[in-house]
Amino acid sequence: MGKYGRWSTVPAVALLLVAGLVGCVSAPSEKPASSPSGQARQPTSAPMPASAFPGLTCDALAAAASVETALRGTVSTEDPSLGDAPLLQVGGVVCAWNSQSSTARLAIRIAPDGAEYWSAFNSWYEHTDWASDVGEINGTTCSPVEGVCSVHALERELFIEVDVDDTAGVTQDAAEAIARAALSVIPSPGQRPEPTRPPGSRSCDAALSAPQVERILGVEPGSLGYVSATTQRYRLAEIAGERVGALECRLRSSTAEVLRFSIIPGGAWMIGQGTPFDDVRGAAGDRTDAGSFALTADGLTAFGTVADDWLSVSVSPPQAPVLEQLYGELVASRRR
């Protein structure tokens, strides 16, 4: 069938907002660096945003037996990735599992304000002829060859996304069954204030211009340019990122990516207590006068907060002084 039938082919590779950065986070050195005054400053943080579905647990969303059946074996749970942060910030829920014997994964994501997310989904695929096999209306896109199946559905005031990645074989019926079971236990979302897009840089070049980076890296003027970070598959976390005003930026030369940075307005909560991002909070050791700042022990990623915002920078090849300088430039742009 065609692209929008019950079976359709979509690219298997999708890059989430700030995806790739989570793999760079690692344990801190035993003795974090100190500020010039001799005392390490702790990054600012805010409380984790309240869920629009209080009390809803991953065990309730998908029974372990059903997940193990879908992934054909014993599974373990995963914490949300950094790419899921905007969805949590708007009150959403993220649950993920992985197979202990293969690379198979299953993730369920839920968002309040479902009509808005469905509208974005509809616009993404430029299509209106959807099914009603899951919830009030749903779109299921699968590629058996690539081992990817995604279910997106609208039900009451919520929107659900179920992703199954299994190169050994993925079944649409199993993915849709998991989505239906999850919808049957999800309460209607509570009232939440409408997310506002804060003022500030709304383009990559405004946040950190290519000429600025070229000067810092010492490369030829005009040799770098920003490329689109849009994925080829609809991703709920990306749309949540748009709602909070997040930026995901990638700067490339003619041959390779040299810089990636992320800004999540209001994302300072990500390094607070009680968040799922323990690795990020644990690595917050090294400091700079540019603001709250941490450099991961492997030197690949600089991240931290300025005011209420989350910032993250990675550069290739990794160079700690360059990372610190680029981070400082981002901080300055957020303060302007």
Side-chain angles (χ1 to χ4, degrees), residues 3 10 22-23 64 100 111 117 136 147 170 186 249 258 274:
K3 180 179 180 182
V10 294
V22 67
Q100 294 185 5
Y117 289 99
E136 299 169 15
V170 58
I186 302 173
C249 303
V258 297

Side-chain angles (χ1 to χ4, degrees), residues 165-234:
D165 294 270
D166 186 355
T167 55
V170 58
T171 67
Q172 178 173 355
D173 288 342
E176 291 186 344
I178 288 172
R180 281 192 292 269
L183 285 173
S184 70
V185 300
I186 302 173
S188 294
Q191 293 296 318
R192 290 177 52 82
E194 180 70 15
T196 58
R197 183 169 292 180
S201 303
R202 284 304 307 147
S203 74
C204 297
D205 211 55
L208 191 59
S209 71
Q212 280 179 286
V213 180
E214 288 166 349
R215 287 194 298 272
I216 292 171
L217 297 183
V219 299
E220 182 180 352
S223 62
L224 303 180
Y226 283 104
V227 296
S228 173
T230 302
T231 62
Q232 294 177 294
R233 290 169 59 192
Y234 178 95

